[in-house]
């Protein structure tokens, strides 16, 4: 009874504060405690509002039209899984790509909030948590990516949601004296992680290795108990297997996409030397006599009409062509493993350049810049066909309308507010280097002097997630600037976990922290 009375009095006190135009005591304390983050979040929200006002209804990428086609006519696509298309389908009754872009901006803000709250919850100092939220909230290229009708923002949100859930205390080890609800809560959280990873995989197939990564993490967190990992794997594989069955019903072959061999072939053509490979006659038709240094980027071997693969009969992504391309790529990798490794590392290094040199070509690079003039309508099939479905989705024109001065403000902002590749490299290196330094400083009594928060033990998962997302595209396809951005929030979270906290022994007694 006393508790109800106290809650009622607190309600009356807070209501009175609101009536007088003041923040209640608890709310005011929270605002003061998180004021720096709220400032960053507010600025990020304002920038996104300016973007929505400046570019209407949204910005288009060549892949966007395929996503819209699948949203209107649901079926597995041979090149891209249908997760993002189903996301678009959720908003199809509103007939507004502007709404889709606005929701993606909200997801971008959510990623920043997840980074900050998770960092604080696991003991990171406030300044580190705020800094970790800055790249996902304020990077101009991140904001531009959110305004593009592509899958990366949704993918990044799903991955970060899984990471933040996985490092939370809910999935931690179950102590012998703990209650059953705690164990049950951990299993429910593990199932949620699995569903998030499955959704990420069905949005971008690069998420599939995350199933193994998160399973290993749960086994580690549970001190060898595999039940949580088993629940997570089952929750992830059931939707993925269901999608594979849908794919089989459509194309009479199992898979999530039908282009893995094709993209890996494009990747290997950056180094493949048929004189070294000595391919069989059926594979030799895919050789390029030009030396690797004179060849175009990997994507041209997938899409260009000059590609040996594209010249083969039938569409590029038939089962036969994909299998042939996959066999060629496997032969190139096994016969030239060092060349393959060098190609992966050289592509990965593009993630860490101080500037943003044009790559893979000016056309693709231009899609990542806020335009000064309306982009031209698509000129390639099937984008021209997809544009018809897009107009049906919008129930009106889909041409990009540029409104000044808002668009000009974002172009100017993009010229100065971006995360350099060298900064990404530093962020990625901070956690392992800091962990190694603390091990070296560890005294004979085993005291490392590191932070007391749980985050100091949680950094491996977000760090490994970031590294995997950076490495996978160059390993199986090619580097692209937009593939770097989903890895940044996880890397920032890992770095925040390793930030030093002030020692209580070194703080004067009259200083409050």
């Amino acid at each position: 009874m006393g508790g109800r009375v106290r809650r009622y009095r607190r309600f009356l006190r807070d209501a009175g504060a609101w009536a007088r135009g003041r923040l209640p005591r608890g709310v005011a304390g929270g605002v003061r405690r998180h004021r720096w983050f709220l400032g960053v979040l507010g600025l990020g929200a304002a920038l996104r509002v300016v973007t929505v006002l400046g570019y209407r209804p949204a910005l288009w990428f060549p892949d966007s039209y395929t996503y819209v086609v699948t949203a209107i006519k649901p079926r597995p696509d041979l090149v891209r899984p249908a997760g993002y298309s189903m996301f678009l389908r959720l908003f199809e009754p509103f007939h507004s790509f502007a709404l889709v872009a606005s929701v993606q901006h909200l997801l971008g803000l959510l990623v920043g909030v997840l980074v900050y709250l998770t960092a604080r919850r696991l003991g990171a100092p406030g300044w580190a948590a705020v800094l970790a939220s800055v790249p996902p909230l304020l990077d101009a290229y991140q904001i531009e990516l959110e305004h593009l009708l592509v899958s990366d923002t949704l993918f990044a949100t799903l991955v970060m949601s899984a990471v933040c859930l996985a490092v939370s205390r809910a999935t931690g080890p179950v102590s012998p004296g703990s209650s059953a609800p705690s164990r049950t809560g951990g299993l429910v959280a593990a199932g949620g992680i699995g569903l998030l990873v499955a959704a990420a995989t069905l949005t971008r197939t690069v998420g599939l290795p995350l199933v193994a990564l998160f399973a290993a993490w749960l086994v580690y967190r549970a001190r060898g108990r595999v039940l949580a990992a088993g629940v997570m794997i089952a929750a992830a594989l059931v939707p993925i297997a269901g999608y594979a069955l849908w794919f089989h019903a459509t194309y009479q072959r199992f898979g999530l996409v039908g282009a893995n061999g094709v993209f890996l072939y494009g990747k290997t053509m950056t180094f493949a030397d048929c004189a070294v490979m000595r391919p069989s006659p059926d594979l030799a038709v895919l050789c390029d006599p030009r030396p690797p240094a004179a060849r175009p980027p990997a994507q041209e071997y997938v899409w260009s009409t000059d590609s040996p693969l594209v010249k083969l009969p039938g569409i590029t992504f038939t089962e036969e062509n994909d299998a042939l391309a996959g066999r060629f790529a496997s032969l190139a990798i096994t016969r030239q493993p060092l060349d393959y490794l060098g190609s992966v590392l050289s592509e990965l290094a593009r993630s860490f350049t101080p500037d943003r040199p044009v790559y893979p070509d000016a056309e693709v690079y231009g899609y990542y810049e806020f335009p000064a003039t309306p982009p031209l309508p698509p000129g390639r099939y099937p984008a021209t066909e997809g544009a018809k479905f897009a107009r049906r989705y919008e129930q009106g024109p889909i041409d990009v309308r540029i409104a000044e001065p808002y668009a000009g403000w974002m172009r100017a902002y993009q010229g100065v507010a971006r995360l350099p590749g060298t900064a990404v490299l530093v962020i990625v290196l901070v956690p392992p280097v800091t962990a190694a330094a603390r091990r070296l400083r560890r005294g004979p009594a085993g005291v490392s002097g590191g932070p007391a928060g749980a985050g100091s033990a949680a950094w491996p998962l977000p760090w490994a997630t970031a590294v995997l997302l950076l490495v996978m595209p160059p390993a199986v396809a090619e580097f692209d600037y937009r593939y770097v951005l989903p890895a940044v929030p996880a890397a920032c979270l890992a770095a925040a976990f390793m930030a030093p906290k002030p020692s209580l022994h070194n703080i004067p007694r009259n200083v409050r922290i």
Side-chain angles (χ1 to χ4, degrees):
M1 185 68 179
R4 292 183 179 178
V5 172
R6 285 192 297 271
R7 287 195 295 271
Y8 181 68
R9 289 176 176 174
R10 186 164 56 247
F11 170 76
L12 292 178
R13 184 190 65 209
D14 292 346
W18 286 113
R20 293 190 299 270
R22 299 178 181 177
L23 292 175
R25 186 184 305 171
V27 175
V31 170
R32 286 194 299 270
R33 188 164 56 253
H34 304 291
R35 61 188 180 277
W36 288 106
F37 171 71
L38 292 175
V40 173
L41 181 64
L43 178 57
L47 290 168
R48 286 160 172 82
V49 170
V50 172
T51 300
V52 170
L53 293 175
Y55 295 95
R56 310 170 192 173
L59 293 175
W60 293 86
F61 192 77
D63 297 356
S64 304
Y65 302 100
T66 303
Y67 288 127
V68 175
V69 171
T70 305
I72 297 294
K73 298 175 60 177
R75 62 175 307 196
D77 186 71
L78 284 169
V79 180
R80 304 166 190 89
Y84 182 67
S85 294
M86 297 303 100
F87 173 79
L88 293 177
R89 188 173 177 84
L90 289 175
F91 302 99
E92 191 271 338
F94 300 97
H95 305 296
S96 172
F97 286 117
L99 175 61
V100 174
S102 298
V103 171
Q104 291 184 173
H105 286 307
L106 290 176
L107 293 179
L109 293 173
L110 174 61
V111 169
V113 171
L114 286 173
V115 169
Y116 176 79
L117 292 181
T118 304
R120 291 305 305 270
R121 182 185 178 190
L122 271 70
W127 65 267
V130 172
L131 286 180
S133 71
V134 167
L137 289 176
L138 301 185
D139 180 16
Y141 284 93
Q142 175 63 51
I143 297 172
E144 200 273 348
L145 183 64
E146 294 166 13
H147 210 61
L148 280 170
L149 296 173
V150 290
S151 62
D152 300 85
T153 298
L154 176 62
F155 175 75
T157 305
L158 292 168
V159 170
M160 280 307 300
S161 298
V163 167
C164 294
L165 182 57
V167 299
S168 68
R169 294 184 179 93
T171 57
V174 181
S175 61
S178 62
S179 60
S182 175
R183 182 184 294 273
T184 302
L187 296 180
V188 171
I193 294 167
L195 293 175
L196 288 168
V197 173
T201 300
L202 298 179
T203 301
R204 278 187 57 198
T205 53
V206 73
L208 186 58
L210 293 174
V211 177
L213 175 62
F214 279 78
W217 171 256
L218 292 180
V219 170
Y220 165 72
R221 285 295 298 269
R223 303 293 196 271
R225 295 186 178 95
V226 298
L227 181 57
V231 170
M232 192 283 298
I233 292 173
L237 292 186
V238 167
I240 292 173
Y243 188 90
L245 289 174
W246 185 29
F247 190 91
H248 181 272
T250 305
Y251 299 107
Q252 290 72 55
R253 51 173 163 154
F254 285 104
L256 301 182
V257 294
N260 291 327
V262 171
F263 281 100
L264 190 58
Y265 163 74
K267 167 64 190 174
T268 58
M269 288 309 293
T270 60
F271 66 87
D273 185 346
C274 286
V276 176
M277 294 168 53
R278 299 190 301 276
S280 57
D282 61 328
L283 295 180
V285 297
L286 298 181
C287 293
D288 188 339
R290 293 174 293 182
R295 295 175 187 173
Q299 66 167 9
E300 295 301 315
Y301 289 93
V302 178
W303 307 110
S304 174
T305 55
D306 295 330
S307 166
L309 179 63
V310 177
K311 291 179 179 179
L312 295 180
I315 65 172
T316 305
F317 304 106
T318 62
E319 184 175 8
E320 296 75 18
N321 286 348
D322 186 62
L324 187 71
R327 288 170 51 212
F328 183 97
S330 298
L331 181 65
I333 293 171
T334 54
R335 294 286 175 85
Q336 300 177 254
L338 294 181
D339 292 328
Y340 170 70
L341 179 61
S343 175
V344 173
L345 293 177
S346 64
E347 288 276 280
L348 179 62
R350 297 182 186 276
S351 304
F352 310 127
T353 55
D355 52 0
R356 290 174 63 97
V358 175
Y359 188 86
D361 56 43
E363 179 184 2
V364 172
Y365 184 89
Y367 287 112
Y368 306 140
E369 303 279 344
F370 283 113
T373 57
L376 296 175
R380 297 181 182 179
Y381 187 88
T384 53
E385 190 68 19
K388 300 177 183 177
F389 286 86
R391 286 188 283 270
R392 174 179 165 185
Y393 185 104
E394 181 79 5
Q395 289 196 352
I398 60 171
D399 300 330
V400 177
R401 301 182 298 278
I402 298 179
E404 302 294 352
Y406 311 110
W409 293 347
M410 291 310 301
R411 290 194 300 272
Y413 181 77
Q414 192 172 37
V416 296
R418 57 188 182 186
L419 186 68
T422 47
V424 175
L425 179 61
V426 170
I427 294 169
V428 170
L429 290 178
V430 161
V433 170
T434 304
R438 286 174 181 163
R439 284 184 176 274
L440 292 175
R441 292 200 306 268
R442 183 171 297 167
V447 179
S448 66
S456 60
W459 70 267
L461 178 65
W463 181 82
T465 300
V467 171
L468 187 148
L469 295 182
L470 288 172
V471 171
M472 282 298 294
V476 300
E478 68 173 347
F479 166 84
D480 194 297
Y481 286 110
R482 70 185 175 103
Y483 297 157
V484 176
L485 295 178
V488 170
C492 290
L493 180 61
F497 284 156
M498 301 305 287
K501 296 185 70 175
S503 172
L504 295 177
H505 300 291
N506 298 328
I507 299 177
R509 292 187 178 182
N510 61 339
V511 176
R512 299 180 62 186
I513 59 174

